[in-house]
């Protein structure tokens, strides 16, 4: 497959995974991730991928097998959602602590209870502090592109950290959209054959991986890991730039003109800005256009990179905006929406601080419609409502 | 120090922090000698991991990886698959895991890896409790042993359940080689480990390893006790090769030494003898040990 086509976003991810040529895939099925791994299984069954696929007995097994494979020095991939990601939780920290550049796709889904297979961001947001790079995609094209880029970024020897590309369950995973699939030769140029820069298990050079770190050393090791994640902000930008230069958009509106940590949509003269991640940005963009037609000065800040948190990019984009509405599909119970908290704290040190408000939307697959967005806009514009609002 | 008749190379070197008389440390020496240089070791959390890898030091002269407590078999699955992808299938992949990691928390991973048939060897150094966290009971802890979570007392015999029969559970997965071994019989253990490694597919050895700290035994008696475990039939040595049983030792009910000889030497069974002798419990153990050996021997007779 190559060139322009129409396909499910899940299959766009599978196409990208095929083209990055992982040596080992280990995954366990969970709705709404299944289409991704089923298509990968077909590729392998048809001889289109030279890859060991481990049909593990659980997600805990999946991420652990990825740990073992990555530590042995091959490119490694997995995909999951919700309960699966929660089950992996312990090993997510271990993979980043061991600096293993595993690539993962998260098909965002709500967490139980009550059990719910539909979309929100609570699963990957709850994995925020696991030391992984996190990207959020709005479109099928972004899913495809980010999946290819995530390996370049994770495997960069200045980074060596695992990464997640997150896409909304059903609203994006099961959505058919136009996608441009790169020729394999181009992907190979962009992402050469895997050469591990991290320590690997090799009888020729026996190393001890995953030792015990006593209080005398633990903090330094944590520091170097966290610093690598902080510093990856620049390397992500480099890779985004190279990708954008090499592969300009082939399909209109399928992705940003140039990839960056954030995408500004009509923010230049905006007085009110929405902030959001993922597929809901599509709905918001249309609403922004409608409001602008009526003369409203409104725009959208879409976060693509969420970890590392793109502090400067956010401040630059929101500079001059008077009011900000953060729309998020996750909450820290007993606190606020996590994205809201972080964005508001960014502005503490700024001379000019916009008014920033938090709106919890679309939990457990609740539709987010134009009506909802309009309601939020009106509340913000007219100073109606409390600090933290649930938009049911 | 060389063990008589075994390769002199040491891949698990001195300087580790295991207790005096640690049976598991000896087990690891045996395993690594049998494995040789072309091997990758996967280790879950537990005593051996903790005593041998205090960053930035290591006692390991083989490539070694630790991830978590429960997932060694899955990590090994990833290692074997990666080696296959790299065309390096000649490398031995060996899990060396405690009984807690094996019988309990890592059981699902272990079962999954055996069902999938990865080419690796899983060796459980069985010290019959969670020693690293302070001697708590595991599925491998024997009946009546006093541990910190099954303490003996006025209302308690110690652990109330019999040891889980993991060896047969793994044989039922279709493994071509599973065996029991003891650090008391080192040549036997060495040969079994070697055979397990040389057999294709997932193979398993349950290697009994005395823990003087947890069993409350004399540090100079680790080998003697590990031998007695076998000779009393408490921990019989046997193999299941392609589904058929071979009993190595003891070979008959008649040659069994009384279990009491074994129990008496260990603080974890002290309550069976003091303040007064618990005849009922000792008899119960003796009977079950006999039944167990009888059942194993019957399997052999019937060619099962
Ligand atoms: C998920 C998880 N639960 C509990 C622990 C605490 N823990 C570490 S080692 C251990 C016991 C290990 O027992 P075993 O596998 O028998 O090895 P041993 O210490 O006896 O050598 C426990 C309970 C842990 N590290 N991880
Ligand atoms: Mg133990």
């Amino acid at each position: 497959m190559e060139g322009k086509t129409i396909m499910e976003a899940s299959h766009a991810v599978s196409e990208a995974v095929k083209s990055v040529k992982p040596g080992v895939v280990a995954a366990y099925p969970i709705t709404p991730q299944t289409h991704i791994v089923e298509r990968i299984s077909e590729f392998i069954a048809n001889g289109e991928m030279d890859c060991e696929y481990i049909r593990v007995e659980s997600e805990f097994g999946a991420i652990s097998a990825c740990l073992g494979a990555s530590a042995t020095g091959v490119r490694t991939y997995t995909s999951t959602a919700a309960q699966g990601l929660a089950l992996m939780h312990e090993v997510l920290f271990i993979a980043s602590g061991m600096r293993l550049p595993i690539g993962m796709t998260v098909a965002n889904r709500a967490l139980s209870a009550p059990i719910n297979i539909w979309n929100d961001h609570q699963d990957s947001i709850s994995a925020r502090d696991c030391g992984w790079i996190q990207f959020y995609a709005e479109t099928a094209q972004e899913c495809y592109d980010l999946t290819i880029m995530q390996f370049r970024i994770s495997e960069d020897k200045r980074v060596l950290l695992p990464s997640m590309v997150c896409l909304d369950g059903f609203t994006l995973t099961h959505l058919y959209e136009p996608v441009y699939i790169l020729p394999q030769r181009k992907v190979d140029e962009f992402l050469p054959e895997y050469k591990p820069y991290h320590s690997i298990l090799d009888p020729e050079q026996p190393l001890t991986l995953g030792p015990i770190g006593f209080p005398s050393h633990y903090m330094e090791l944590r520091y170097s890991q966290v610093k690598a994640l902080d510093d990856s902000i620049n390397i992500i930008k480099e890779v985004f730039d190279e990708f954008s230069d090499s592969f300009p958009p082939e399909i209109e509106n399928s992705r940003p003109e140039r990839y960056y940590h954030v995408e500004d949509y009509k923010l230049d003269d905006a007085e009110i800005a929405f902030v959001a991640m993922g597929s809901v940005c599509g709905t918001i963009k249309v609403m922004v256009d409608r409001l602008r037609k009526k003369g409203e000065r409104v725009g959208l800040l879409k976060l693509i990179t969420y970890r590392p948190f793109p502090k400067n990019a956010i401040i630059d984009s929101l500079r001059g905006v008077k009011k900000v509405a953060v729309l998020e599909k996750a909450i820290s119970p007993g606190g606020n929406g996590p994205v809201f908290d972080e964005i508001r704290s960014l502005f503490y040190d700024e001379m000019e601080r916009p008014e920033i408000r938090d709106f919890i939307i679309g939990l457990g697959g609740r539709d987010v419609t134009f009506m909802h967005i309009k309601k939020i806009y009106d509340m913000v514009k007219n100073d109606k409502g409390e600090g933290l609002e649930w938009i049911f | 120090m060389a063990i008589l008749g075994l390769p002199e190379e040491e891949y698990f070197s001195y300087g580790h922090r295991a207790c005096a008389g640690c049976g598991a440390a000896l087990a690891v020496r045996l395993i690594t000698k049998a494995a040789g240089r072309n091997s990758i070791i996967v280790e879950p959390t537990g005593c051996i991991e903790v005593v041998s890898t205090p960053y930035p030091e290591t006692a390991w002269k083989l490539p070694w990886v630790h991830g978590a407590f429960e997932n060694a078999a899955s990590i090994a699955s990833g290692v074997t698959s990666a080696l296959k992808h790299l065309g390096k299938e000649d490398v031995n992949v060996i899990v060396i895991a405690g009984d807690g990691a094996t019988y309990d928390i890592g059981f699902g991973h272990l079962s999954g890896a055996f069902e999938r048939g990865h080419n690796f060897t899983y060796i459980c150094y069985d010290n019959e409790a969670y020693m690293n966290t302070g001697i708590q009971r595991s599925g491998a802890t024997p009946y009546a042993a006093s541990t910190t979570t099954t303490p003996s007392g006025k209302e308690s015999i110690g652990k109330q359940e019999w040891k889980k029969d993991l060896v047969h559970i793994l044989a039922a997965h279709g493994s071509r080689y599973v065996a029991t071994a003891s650090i008391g019989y080192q040549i036997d253990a060495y040969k079994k480990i070697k055979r397990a490694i040389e057999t294709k597919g997932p193979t398993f050895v349950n290697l009994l390893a005395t823990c003087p700290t947890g069993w409350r035994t004399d540090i100079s008696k680790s080998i003697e006790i590990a031998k007695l475990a076998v000779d009393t039939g408490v921990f019989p040595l046997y193999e299941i090769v392609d589904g058929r049983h071979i009993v190595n030792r003891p070979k008959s009910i008649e040659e069994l030494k009384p279990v009491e000889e074994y129990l008496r030497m260990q603080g974890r069974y002290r309550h069976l003898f003091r303040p007064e002798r618990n005849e009922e419990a000792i008899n119960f153990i003796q009977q079950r040990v006999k039944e167990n050996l009888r059942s194993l021997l019957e399997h052999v007779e019937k060619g099962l």
Side-chain angles (χ1 to χ4, degrees):
Chain A
M1 175 96 37
E2 151 176 352
K4 287 180 199 174
T5 176
I6 291 181
M7 61 167 61
E8 231 188 34
S10 289
H11 293 161
V13 172
S14 318
E15 285 287 342
V17 172
K18 178 173 83 170
S19 71
V20 304
K21 301 179 179 169
V24 172
V25 170
Y28 192 80
I30 180 168
T31 306
Q33 152 265 37
T34 43
H35 291 190
I36 298 171
V37 295
E38 286 166 1
R39 183 51 63 91
I40 293 171
S41 307
E42 284 167 27
F43 288 148
I44 295 171
N46 297 334
E48 293 175 61
M49 275 176 88
D50 171 25
C51 169
E52 295 298 318
Y53 189 133
I54 315 178
R55 281 111 188 145
V56 280
E57 76 299 324
S58 68
E59 287 85 355
F60 204 115
I63 188 65
S64 304
C66 285
L67 187 165
S70 184
T72 310
V74 303
R75 186 170 286 147
T76 306
Y77 172 80
T78 189
S79 174
T80 190
Q83 309 311 118
L85 189 63
L87 189 58
M88 288 181 177
H89 197 66
E90 181 189 10
V91 187
L92 296 179
F93 287 90
I94 299 169
S96 58
M98 292 177 72
R99 309 293 298 274
L100 298 172
I102 299 163
M104 184 195 296
T105 310
V106 177
N108 285 117
R109 159 180 159 177
L111 283 167
S112 297
I115 192 162
N116 172 297
I117 60 170
W118 295 275
N119 169 243
D120 67 35
H121 290 166
Q122 195 69 53
D123 52 358
S124 55
I125 294 283
S126 299
R128 179 190 70 178
D129 296 339
C130 294
W132 288 51
I133 292 167
Q134 280 195 0
F135 300 116
Y136 288 78
E138 178 196 336
T139 64
Q141 186 69 56
E142 289 178 11
C143 292
Y144 176 81
D145 296 345
L146 287 167
T147 302
I148 292 171
M149 286 190 273
Q150 80 178 130
F151 287 92
R152 257 294 291 274
I153 294 161
S154 282
E155 293 166 8
D156 189 296
K157 63 180 162 202
R158 296 163 294 175
V159 178
L160 294 179
L161 287 168
S163 56
M164 289 175 200
V165 171
C166 306
L167 68 153
D168 289 321
F170 292 114
T171 44
L172 191 50
T173 53
H174 289 52
L175 184 72
Y176 279 75
E177 279 194 328
V179 185
Y180 181 76
I181 303 292
L182 290 166
Q184 183 62 48
R185 175 177 49 84
K186 297 274 185 188
V187 179
D188 292 341
E189 277 168 27
F190 181 78
L191 183 77
E193 202 175 317
Y194 188 49
K195 250 204 348 243
Y197 287 108
H198 51 95
S199 4
I200 59 165
L201 298 165
D202 179 6
E204 298 299 319
Q205 200 192 345
L207 295 172
T208 294
L209 310 186
I212 183 165
F214 282 104
S216 55
H217 291 84
Y218 182 87
M219 214 163 152
E220 281 74 10
L221 293 170
R222 275 296 272 178
Y223 176 77
S224 69
Q225 178 199 341
V226 171
K227 181 132 186 2
L229 186 56
D230 284 343
D231 294 349
S232 73
I233 197 92
N234 299 318
I235 292 124
I236 295 168
K237 164 100 172 37
E238 270 176 44
V239 174
F240 279 179
D241 281 342
E242 190 188 321
F243 190 93
S244 305
D245 290 340
S246 312
F247 313 119
E250 298 277 347
I251 299 165
E252 215 185 335
N253 291 331
S254 68
R255 51 163 267 206
E257 214 25 61
R258 294 186 65 76
Y259 278 102
Y260 187 49
H261 302 301
V262 298
E263 182 189 349
D264 294 357
Y265 188 76
K266 307 200 173 168
L267 276 178
D268 276 350
D269 63 342
E271 290 187 339
I272 295 181
F274 295 107
V275 175
M277 308 198 292
S279 63
V280 75
C281 291
T283 315
I284 299 174
K285 283 175 182 172
V286 175
M287 198 64 219
V288 164
D289 291 350
R290 287 188 189 174
L291 288 166
R292 284 221 164 236
K293 272 205 191 118
K294 291 186 188 154
E296 302 293 318
R297 284 161 67 182
V298 57
L300 163 72
L301 175 69
K302 174 174 104 181
L303 301 184
I304 296 176
T305 311
Y306 176 57
R307 275 295 176 275
F309 199 58
K311 299 172 189 167
N312 294 332
I314 293 170
I315 289 180
D316 287 349
S317 293
L318 293 180
R319 189 160 282 132
V321 169
K322 301 221 160 41
K323 293 178 174 181
V324 174
V326 179
L327 278 58
E328 49 191 326
K329 295 181 175 181
I331 179 132
S332 169
N336 296 309
V339 180
F340 163 79
D341 267 347
E342 266 185 295
I343 290 188
R344 198 161 62 155
S345 123
L346 279 184
F347 280 96
Y348 187 85
D349 294 325
E350 294 298 301
M351 292 300 285
E352 277 182 54
R353 295 176 214 151
E355 181 189 305
I356 306 179
R357 293 185 48 189
D358 197 7
F359 296 89
I360 306 300
I361 57 163
L363 300 190
R366 179 67 52 90
D367 278 343
V368 183
T369 64
F370 293 130
M371 225 177 62
H372 291 113
I373 312 288
K374 177 68 166 45
K375 180 175 172 187
I376 293 168
Y377 183 75
D378 290 341
M379 285 171 81
V380 171
K381 187 171 176 189
N382 303 320
D383 298 318
K384 289 268 159 55
E386 300 297 316
L388 174 82
E389 286 284 348
W390 287 60
I391 305 299
F392 290 96
Chain B
M1 205 205 312
I3 304 173
L4 210 63
L6 301 183
E8 298 216 359
E9 291 92 333
E10 296 286 357
Y11 301 100
F12 185 68
S13 67
Y14 49 83
H16 61 73
R17 290 143 162 84
C19 307
C22 174
L26 178 59
V28 172
R29 281 179 66 203
L30 283 169
I31 296 162
T32 50
K33 279 171 187 285
R37 198 170 159 274
N38 198 28
S39 304
I40 291 172
I41 307 296
V42 183
E43 183 91 47
T45 313
C47 277
I48 287 298
E49 168 260 331
V50 168
V51 302
S52 65
T53 67
Y55 181 89
E57 295 165 23
T58 181
W60 292 88
K61 296 180 181 175
L62 294 175
W64 181 97
V65 62
H66 158 257
F69 182 24
E70 54 278 63
N71 60 357
S74 290
I75 293 177
S77 304
V79 174
T80 56
S81 297
L83 289 171
K84 199 164 168 198
H85 182 74
L86 295 169
K88 293 191 196 166
E89 281 161 282
D90 60 317
V91 178
N92 306 317
V93 178
I94 299 160
V95 176
I96 305 178
D99 49 289
T102 307
Y103 282 65
D104 296 345
I105 201 165
F107 182 64
H109 294 263
L110 178 58
S111 175
F114 268 59
E115 182 268 329
R116 291 189 298 272
H118 297 278
N119 187 24
F120 78 120
T121 295
Y122 193 111
I123 299 172
C124 173
Y125 68 86
D126 183 2
N127 55 21
E128 302 194 315
Y130 304 156
M131 297 312 181
N132 185 52
T133 36
I135 323 167
Q136 295 88 11
R137 72 85 93 176
S138 79
T141 303
Y143 175 76
S146 182
T147 71
T148 53
T149 50
T150 59
S152 60
K154 235 169 60 194
E155 300 290 328
S156 166
I157 181 89
K159 191 191 171 195
Q160 294 186 23
E161 303 80 20
W162 205 256
K163 188 183 179 93
K164 187 195 276 188
D165 186 2
L166 186 67
V167 181
H168 282 95
I169 295 172
L170 290 172
H173 281 72
S175 167
R176 298 196 53 202
Y177 188 81
V178 300
T180 63
S182 161
I183 59 149
Y185 290 101
Q186 290 156 32
I187 305 294
D188 175 80
Y190 175 84
K191 283 186 182 154
K192 284 173 173 167
I193 294 159
K194 231 179 152 55
R195 179 150 186 194
I197 293 169
E198 281 162 8
T199 305
K200 258 197 108 54
T203 54
F204 180 76
V205 179
N206 198 47
L207 178 50
L208 186 75
T210 326
C211 171
T213 312
W215 296 8
R216 287 178 278 141
T217 53
D218 184 334
I219 57 168
S220 68
K221 299 249 158 63
S222 289
I223 302 293
E224 193 182 320
I225 290 168
K227 275 196 162 100
L228 264 177
V230 174
D231 296 344
T232 55
V234 169
F235 193 91
L237 299 184
Y238 63 95
E239 297 162 286
I240 306 174
V241 185
D242 289 324
R244 278 164 205 269
H245 285 69
I246 301 166
V247 175
N248 317 110
R249 195 181 183 104
K251 290 223 176 268
S252 69
I253 305 287
E254 294 70 51
E255 74 187 52
L256 282 179
K257 291 187 178 168
V259 291
E260 191 175 335
E261 277 184 40
Y262 173 65
L263 303 175
R264 261 193 182 289
M265 294 182 78
Q266 308 175 49
R268 62 177 170 159
Y269 297 115
R270 179 199 207 98
H271 55 288
L272 298 184
F273 303 96
R274 261 177 271 171
E276 68 248 4
R277 198 181 156 83
N278 188 338
E279 201 64 49
E280 197 187 338
I282 298 167
N283 281 342
F284 175 66
I285 296 170
Q286 185 66 68
Q287 283 319 314
R288 267 199 81 154
V289 161
K290 277 190 187 159
E291 272 166 36
N292 182 43
L293 183 62
R294 197 169 290 126
S295 155
L296 286 172
L297 292 168
E298 267 171 29
H299 277 83
V300 179
E301 259 169 49
K302 293 182 184 156
L304 297 173

